[in-house]
Amino acid sequence: MTTQFADNLIAASSYSAVGITAMAVGFVVLDLLTPGNLRAQVWVDRNRNAATLVGSNLASVAIIVVAAIIASEGGLARGLLYTAAYSVLGLVAMAVTFGLLTLVTPGRIGDALMDTEPNPAVRVHAVLHIAAACIIAASIL
């Protein structure tokens, strides 16, 4: 095994740990912002609205993590720190946009999320999460 391969394997493992942690924290944040048990809504009740929002949240965090990894320089420790910081920024931005869109639209997104019928408002929120992530990713790169 070459030294470069070993270094890359360590870096990939470290970045994976940061990315997985960021996605887990993102799920917890989203669960706190929505009524009910999000895990049960997705995996037990098979709620498409909840699954759409969770999927967009996970994809959004991944977009930010990938951009942070690509832009990282100055060694592994610094890259991991920047990746974690940008991930936190992304989660805050997604939470803020979630709250702002809820304020300016009729009804509560949480109610739409818990509805068993597909709701277009959830799709709008999903796109908003991805859009916020893309903006942060572009600012990193």
Side-chain angles (χ1 to χ4, degrees), residues 12-107:
S13 299
S14 301
Y15 280 115
S16 294
V18 170
I20 291 167
T21 301
M23 287 188 284
V25 170
F27 182 86
V28 169
V29 169
L30 187 60
D31 193 20
L32 292 172
L33 291 172
T34 57
N37 182 323
L38 197 53
R39 186 177 337 179
Q41 285 294 316
V42 174
W43 284 277
V44 176
D45 299 336
R46 296 179 174 206
N47 182 324
R48 290 182 222 163
N49 293 324
T52 297
L53 200 59
V54 168
S56 72
N57 187 275
L58 295 173
S60 298
V61 172
I63 288 167
I64 294 166
V65 169
V66 167
I69 292 169
I70 291 169
S72 67
E73 51 187 52
L76 180 59
R78 180 183 245 175
L80 291 170
L81 177 63
Y82 287 2
T83 300
Y86 286 125
S87 297
V88 169
L89 174 63
L91 293 173
V92 169
M94 286 184 281
V96 168
T97 57
F98 186 93
L100 288 175
L101 191 58
T102 299
L103 286 175
V104 299
T105 56

